Amino acid sequence: MSKQLPFRRCCASRCRKREKKRRISMKITQKDMAERTGVSLGSIKRFEQTGEISFHSLLKIAFVLDCLDDFDQLFAQKYYRSAEEVLRERRR
């Protein structure tokens, strides 16, 4: 049984739209992007249409678009199990 996260499509849609807008603003064609990244042209097109792409390929695209640092904060927020943990952390 496969459960799809409810926000998955929304996140992917926003990401693909931002990537395409940035690529176009930098005057990079899909073909150029494929050549610069080593990601197939079909994968670039699929990503811009559906938001589906491998993480490794997405990192390559981010590098070309000078957005690789955006991934630095991914999963960086500390996870707290209780309000007490938050309070203890603030006291330090």
Side-chain angles (χ1 to χ4, degrees):
M1 176 165 59
S2 175
K3 232 182 194 182
Q4 196 176 72
L5 298 174
F7 53 86
R8 182 175 147 223
R9 286 189 182 197
C10 187
C11 290
S13 180
R14 287 192 309 263
C15 183
R16 71 181 176 84
K17 287 175 184 176
R18 286 192 304 262
E19 178 276 335
K20 184 176 181 178
K21 184 176 181 180
R22 186 168 180 100
R23 176 182 62 74
I24 291 170
S25 74
M26 293 175 73
K27 300 186 183 334
I28 300 172
T29 65
Q30 287 179 328
K31 184 179 177 189
D32 291 338
M33 179 62 74
E35 290 171 358
R36 291 183 189 193
T37 60
V39 175
S40 73
L41 180 57
S43 290
I44 301 289
K45 288 180 177 185
R46 184 176 63 251
F47 174 59
E48 291 189 359
Q49 292 170 356
T50 69
E52 295 286 331
I53 194 162
S54 75
F55 186 71
H56 186 72
S57 294
L58 185 59
L59 290 175
K60 289 178 177 182
I61 292 169
F63 177 78
V64 169
L65 297 179
D66 196 28
C67 295
L68 197 54
D69 289 343
D70 293 354
F71 288 91
D72 192 41
Q73 292 301 310
L74 193 61
F75 307 118
Q77 279 188 330
K78 185 166 180 171
Y79 172 74
Y80 297 100
R81 294 183 182 153
S82 68
E84 289 81 26
E85 283 186 29
V86 174
L87 294 173
R88 273 196 304 267
E89 183 74 24
R90 287 186 180 175
R91 289 184 199 134
R92 291 183 186 177

